[in-house]
Amino acid sequence: VELGEKPDDIVRRLLDLVEAFEHRRPGYTTSDAARTAFGEALGSKSVLLILDDAWDEEHVRPFLHEGPNCLRLITTRKSEVLPPDARSVNVDEMTEEESIAVLGAGLEGAQRSAVVTLAERLGHWPFLLRPANSALLAYAQPRTGNGMSVADALAQIDAQLTYRGLEVFTK
């Protein structure tokens, strides 16, 4: 659930989750009723719920109801948004050298400048660099991929990012 600074409709988002879990959409209009329905739909399901770009504790609170087997990952730049018992992990962009090491892992003969360019395009973020490395390895490994050169694999990933965006890293 992407919240953002001013999420449009928390009730609708809760009901979207109920519908995703139960394949039915209750007609509730109040936050309390939607929160309760969400908690019931969640039940004891094992779920990873990502609340992305949270700015306000009030926007996060309705998604914390129930769900003993629900792991919640809250991304925010404001620590006061997190519940008091939350474990906080600071994730920042990697340095250029760290990015090159992750993106270029297992790639023999990769031209440094091409790896640097792709790492910069991916913002030096580890959660983007690892899938990009996997995609590169899939293209450039003679035994498992199509055996293209590392330079061609880098160009292919770059072109696909332009055409498809980050979807290129999903199956």
Side-chain angles (χ1 to χ4, degrees):
V1 178
E2 185 175 350
L3 294 173
E5 189 172 3
K6 296 178 183 174
D8 54 353
D9 187 354
I10 298 293
V11 170
R12 179 186 54 78
R13 291 165 185 248
L14 287 165
L15 296 178
D16 287 347
L17 290 170
V18 171
E19 185 174 16
F21 291 138
E22 296 190 340
H23 307 291
R24 68 174 182 86
R25 186 169 193 93
Y28 300 121
T29 57
T30 68
S31 181
D32 285 342
R35 182 177 56 89
T36 299
F38 168 67
E40 290 171 359
L42 193 57
S44 61
K45 292 177 181 71
S46 295
V47 173
L48 170 61
L49 177 63
I50 300 171
L51 301 172
D52 188 36
D53 195 22
W55 284 67
D56 190 317
E57 176 187 7
E58 292 296 315
H59 302 147
V60 170
R61 191 174 300 126
F63 297 94
L64 303 179
H65 187 66
E66 301 295 330
N69 296 324
C70 179
L71 178 64
R72 290 155 177 97
L73 174 65
I74 304 167
T75 66
T76 184
R77 289 181 169 88
K78 302 172 72 175
S79 61
E80 63 271 15
V81 168
L82 300 173
D85 60 341
R87 191 175 113 218
S88 179
V89 177
N90 186 26
V91 178
D92 205 353
E93 71 179 60
M94 300 175 93
T95 66
E96 184 174 286
E97 289 306 313
E98 291 169 331
S99 296
I100 291 168
V102 170
L103 188 56
L107 297 172
E108 297 299 321
Q111 185 180 21
R112 180 182 170 86
S113 63
V115 174
V116 168
T117 300
L118 183 55
E120 287 172 354
R121 184 165 186 192
L122 296 173
H124 300 287
W125 292 104
F127 61 89
L128 296 176
L129 294 167
R130 289 198 190 282
N133 174 262
S134 294
L136 288 167
L137 289 172
Y139 282 123
Q141 292 300 319
R143 289 188 206 134
T144 59
N146 64 12
M148 68 173 54
S149 71
V150 172
D152 287 346
L154 284 159
Q156 179 75 13
I157 294 296
D158 189 61
Q160 286 188 13
L161 276 168
T162 299
Y163 179 69
R164 294 176 49 206
L166 297 176
E167 227 178 78
V168 70
F169 302 129
T170 62
K171 299 235 180 210

